[in-house]
Amino acid sequence: MLIRSVLAVILSFSLAAPSLPGKTTKPKAVKEKSGDDLKLFSVKLNKDEQIRFALDRLTFGPRVGDFEAVKKVGVKKWIDLQLHPDKIKENPVLEAKLAPLDSLRMTEKEAGQNYPTQQLIAQVARGRAPLPEDPITRSAVERLVQRYKVKKTEGKEAATREEDMIEPAVSLEDLLTADDIKTLRNGKPDDRKAILAKFDEDKYEQLAIALPQGMRFGNMPFAPLPLRRMFMKATAPQQILANDLNEGKLFRASYSNRQLEELMVDFWYNHFNVYLDKGSDRLFVPTYERDAIRPYVFANFHDLLKATSESPAMLFYLDNWQSVGPPPPNARPAAKNAPKRPVRGLNENYGRELLELHTLGVDGGYTQKDIIEVARCFTGWTIREPRLGGGFWYNDKVHDKGEKVVLGVTIPAGGGKEDGEKVLDILMKHPSTAKFISRKLATRFVSDNPPAALVDRMAQTFTASSGDIRLVMKTMLESKEFWSRGAEHAKIKTPFEMVASAIRAVGAEIDFGSNLANQLQQLGQPLYRKVEPTGYSAVNAEWVNSAALLGRMNFALALAQNKVAGVTVDTARFPESTDTLVIARQLLNREVTPATRAAIALALDEQLKKNPKAKPSPALIAGLILGSPDFQRK
């Protein structure tokens, strides 16, 4: 009732405000700004407002003490350091959090070897597949196979998944007493931990497999971190790859001192989006973000473009690894008795998205003929043994050797891998690329409809510097439009930004991030799982509606009152006051708006009328502030 009372008032003004539009299926077409709108981009923020704005827009949200720290060093110097993250000493807490996530440091092949699929384990257990020849994979599979036995079936086996045809070799009753099982199911956390402490590593693996599904990894927040990781490794090894990605991203957003770098990694990953759950991309995505995105977020756009174009993750996601040109005229025909193979041909997916999403933009001046010609240039750009985590491989035998014409530029016949590289060069020099990338950066960091003059200056810098991303960002960050009343609070946080900023605002400690990742899925932004190549949008209209605000409010209340599993909030850090203004100053670094304050006061009054003994706590008020539109704006 409390949440609904608050939302009834908050929604009455928030959804009517220009900065909080309703949900639409597509971002609205860009409209020219009115004269009044443009005037706001000429109104400069004062010095304190600039600090608050920088922390809201260039980090995942301020922590307690950040305002004073930036004020001491100065906004200009602070931004220069953020643009050069190698000059910033990383938070040792973050480094400790990342240390156990070993899959983030592996190659694709190593990840596949150390974390085999559950299907492979089941097939070996049933005798339907031999043990892998690779010694690392063989050892991992062999150890797990010993923990399972094949289910007994009568008569004809029903069609089912391989994973469902095996069961634990040791039952829960073999490992625990009846009292221990009862405690593990329903006991207090400390009593549960005491039971788990009895097991060594070998027995713990057996326990992990024997546990009923409802008691496994995600529902055992009482288990220490190393033991929960062992649970997952014993029951679903390849899920660790996704889990490590999620936790790594949440840890970095919450703890990193290099905040702008992390925002840029998120920005460029969505720009060059790859869907984690598409087949072999489960192996490829960790190295994709680490090796093709992260090193280039402030580098030259051409280097970033080339790194993504050669990444197995991108080649697999957009199917270019299967794209081949026509057979050469002198190709030997297949023998009559040769086994038939699937017919492969030209695949346009990567060519289309390279032009539409990665460089020129949908209105960038290309045609369907250009898409086909670009696709021809990238034939032969493939992956060696994708299922085994193979790397990039150029196969000249399947490359289209004919002449191509891309955006009016002729690429002579007889070329090879360099045909694709020439396309990247053409796109880099095209004025539409400079304009498209500049507008997208300004949309993310300034407003959904950034002033045309700012975009033009950023595009000029892009062209003059041959795509130097750091200089383009510097042009934006030194502009009057960025530090203006028109940009202030003009953007709405995505669910990921909202969750990370709430964690930072309350100074929460993350033990494990799986429950936070689940929260993001419920809020509509499962990490690394945007199916479409567009990536997650930074436009306000994609994220805000009444249902979205309700979900954010539920999360905020749970977090502030220490009810999110895997996350610890020291509620004693909140001011010993039930004055909304006092708590808001700590969480927002500014005054709460009168409308939000009135809405919270009304809801609390209604609660007291219904239950006079239920006095509001600082944690409750903190949750209401974190869930309010004031906190959703940045």
Side-chain angles (χ1 to χ4, degrees):
M1 290 298 295
L2 175 64
I3 297 175
R4 295 191 181 280
S5 298
V6 174
L7 284 178
V9 180
I10 288 178
L11 294 179
S12 68
F13 73 85
S14 66
L15 292 182
S19 59
L20 286 171
K23 173 77 173 179
T24 58
T25 55
K26 292 183 179 180
K28 293 181 180 179
V30 175
K31 297 179 180 179
E32 290 297 321
K33 286 188 173 292
S34 67
D36 290 340
D37 288 337
L38 288 173
K39 286 179 182 178
L40 290 175
F41 284 99
S42 298
V43 180
K44 189 177 181 180
L45 301 174
N46 66 40
K47 290 184 177 180
D48 281 358
E49 289 171 336
Q50 288 181 20
I51 296 172
R52 296 188 189 99
F53 179 68
L55 287 168
D56 278 343
R57 199 61 64 88
L58 303 180
T59 77
F60 276 98
R63 301 162 299 184
V64 172
D66 280 355
F67 179 88
E68 292 76 13
V70 175
K71 191 169 187 175
K72 183 177 180 179
V73 72
V75 173
K76 186 175 181 179
K77 184 175 180 181
W78 179 82
I79 288 178
D80 185 65
L81 286 171
Q82 289 294 322
L83 285 170
H84 297 85
D86 55 303
K87 297 180 180 179
I88 302 174
K89 184 179 180 181
E90 191 50 282
N91 186 350
V93 174
L94 171 62
E95 293 172 342
K97 296 282 185 184
L98 294 175
L101 311 182
D102 59 359
S103 72
L104 298 183
R105 298 181 290 277
M106 294 178 177
T107 65
E108 294 101 331
K109 188 174 183 179
E110 289 170 342
Q113 290 172 339
N114 284 274
Y115 298 113
T117 64
Q118 187 72 359
Q119 183 182 26
L120 174 60
I121 296 165
Q123 287 176 338
V124 173
R126 288 185 55 76
R128 292 184 174 179
L131 280 165
E133 294 183 4
D134 175 79
I136 299 176
T137 316
R138 183 186 185 94
S139 175
V141 172
E142 194 170 32
R143 186 185 73 252
L144 290 170
V145 164
Q146 292 173 359
R147 310 300 189 207
Y148 287 103
K149 63 181 180 181
V150 179
K151 288 182 180 179
K152 295 179 180 179
T153 57
E154 295 181 3
K156 188 175 181 180
E157 293 179 356
T160 184
R161 298 185 310 161
E162 287 285 350
E163 300 95 306
D164 297 330
M165 298 305 296
I166 57 176
E167 62 185 4
V170 178
S171 69
L172 199 58
E173 288 73 17
D174 294 330
L175 300 170
L176 297 168
T177 67
D179 287 341
D180 283 347
I181 294 173
K182 184 177 179 180
T183 300
L184 203 56
R185 289 182 186 276
N186 305 308
K188 296 179 180 179
D190 288 344
D191 295 332
R192 293 174 173 184
K193 290 178 182 178
I195 292 172
L196 297 178
K198 299 176 184 178
F199 291 85
D200 58 24
E201 182 174 337
D202 184 68
K203 285 289 181 67
Y204 211 85
E205 253 187 354
Q206 291 183 341
L207 175 63
I209 293 173
L211 282 171
Q213 188 65 39
M215 292 177 63
R216 289 187 181 172
F217 175 79
N219 297 315
M220 299 190 72
F222 53 86
L225 181 61
L227 301 185
R228 286 186 300 98
R229 187 172 181 83
M230 197 183 298
F231 274 168
M232 181 171 284
K233 192 169 184 178
T235 55
Q238 203 159 82
Q239 287 185 17
I240 285 183
L241 304 180
N243 182 75
D244 285 0
L245 273 171
N246 286 334
E247 291 206 320
K249 195 172 186 73
L250 285 161
F251 287 152
R252 289 179 184 276
S254 302
Y255 292 103
S256 179
N257 292 334
R258 302 164 179 172
Q259 282 286 294
L260 183 55
E261 179 181 42
E262 296 309 318
L263 286 176
M264 293 295 283
V265 170
D266 185 59
F267 172 84
W268 288 120
Y269 187 93
N270 282 295
H271 183 81
F272 295 103
N273 182 57
V274 170
Y275 175 53
L276 174 65
D277 289 335
K278 180 175 179 178
S280 295
D281 270 325
R282 295 173 187 173
L283 297 177
F284 297 144
V285 166
T287 54
Y288 176 62
E289 184 176 64
R290 184 189 72 204
D291 299 336
I293 300 290
R294 182 171 291 279
Y296 304 104
V297 296
F298 289 122
N300 185 279
F301 184 74
H302 184 278
D303 295 337
L304 175 60
L305 190 63
K306 188 172 188 293
T308 58
S309 70
E310 293 183 350
S311 169
M314 183 64 74
L315 292 168
F316 190 88
Y317 173 55
L318 293 178
D319 305 309
N320 199 84
W321 72 286
Q322 294 179 311
S323 184
V324 301
N330 58 349
R332 184 181 300 176
K336 292 183 179 180
N337 58 349
K340 290 186 177 181
R341 296 182 178 180
V343 178
R344 293 168 57 189
L346 188 68
N347 190 294
E348 300 174 12
N349 288 352
Y350 178 66
R352 178 178 295 103
E353 308 310 348
L354 176 64
L355 299 178
E356 179 180 335
L357 298 178
H358 298 172
T359 55
L360 304 180
V362 66
D363 299 319
Y366 64 90
T367 65
Q368 175 61 27
K369 183 70 164 63
D370 289 315
I371 293 173
I372 295 172
E373 296 291 272
V374 168
R376 292 177 60 209
C377 289
F378 282 97
T379 50
W381 290 46
T382 186
I383 311 166
R384 195 184 300 275
E385 297 181 314
R387 288 190 309 108
L388 303 179
F392 172 78
W393 173 43
Y394 170 69
N395 184 358
D396 193 65
K397 292 181 180 179
V398 298
H399 181 64
D400 187 327
K401 296 287 186 177
E403 180 183 274
K404 299 98 174 173
V405 180
V406 175
L407 296 167
V409 178
T410 299
I411 297 176
K417 181 175 182 286
E418 65 272 18
D419 287 356
E421 294 169 343
K422 288 177 182 176
V423 169
L424 302 183
D425 291 339
I426 293 167
L427 295 175
M428 268 299 303
K429 296 172 183 176
H430 199 285
S432 291
T433 297
K435 182 65 72 72
F436 180 67
I437 298 302
S438 297
R439 170 171 282 281
K440 194 164 185 180
L441 283 166
T443 299
R444 166 62 183 80
F445 288 99
V446 180
S447 76
D448 283 2
N449 188 8
L454 171 61
V455 175
D456 288 343
R457 293 199 304 276
M458 292 170 67
Q460 289 167 10
T461 299
F462 186 101
T463 301
S465 66
S466 299
D468 188 314
I469 298 170
R470 184 181 280 109
L471 289 180
V472 174
M473 287 290 292
K474 193 174 181 182
T475 298
M476 180 188 72
L477 295 174
E478 292 179 349
S479 71
K480 65 177 183 179
E481 293 90 345
F482 182 78
W483 300 105
S484 72
R485 195 70 67 196
E488 185 187 34
H489 307 319
K491 296 293 296 181
I492 303 301
K493 298 171 184 175
T494 66
F496 175 46
E497 292 167 344
M498 184 270 169
V499 167
S501 63
I503 293 287
R504 288 171 62 82
V506 300
E509 288 295 323
I510 306 174
D511 178 28
F512 59 93
S514 57
N515 283 304
L516 288 175
N518 291 338
Q519 291 279 349
L520 285 170
Q521 183 166 355
Q522 294 172 21
L523 292 172
Q525 194 181 11
L527 298 177
Y528 303 100
R529 286 184 165 92
K530 177 64 172 175
V531 179
E532 298 83 6
T534 52
Y536 289 116
S537 174
V539 176
N540 295 349
E542 289 298 304
W543 297 113
V544 180
N545 57 57
S546 56
L549 281 178
L550 179 60
R552 293 180 184 216
M553 179 67 80
N554 282 326
F555 169 76
L557 287 168
L559 175 69
Q561 296 177 95
N562 216 3
K563 295 180 180 178
V564 176
V567 181
T568 303
V569 176
D570 181 6
T571 56
R573 295 181 60 170
F574 298 135
E576 293 183 5
S577 171
T578 55
D579 187 334
T580 301
L581 288 178
V582 173
I583 299 173
R585 289 191 195 106
Q586 177 176 306
L587 298 178
L588 298 173
N589 279 300
R590 62 177 184 273
E591 301 295 329
V592 70
T593 59
T596 293
R597 188 183 183 194
I600 293 174
L602 179 60
L604 295 177
D605 286 343
E606 290 182 4
Q607 182 194 42
L608 285 173
K609 289 176 183 177
K610 294 177 181 178
N611 187 359
K613 295 182 179 180
K615 294 184 178 180
S617 66
L620 172 62
I621 295 174
L624 293 173
I625 292 170
L626 293 177
S628 73
D630 284 14
F631 190 78
Q632 310 311 312
R633 295 187 180 99
K634 59 177 182 176

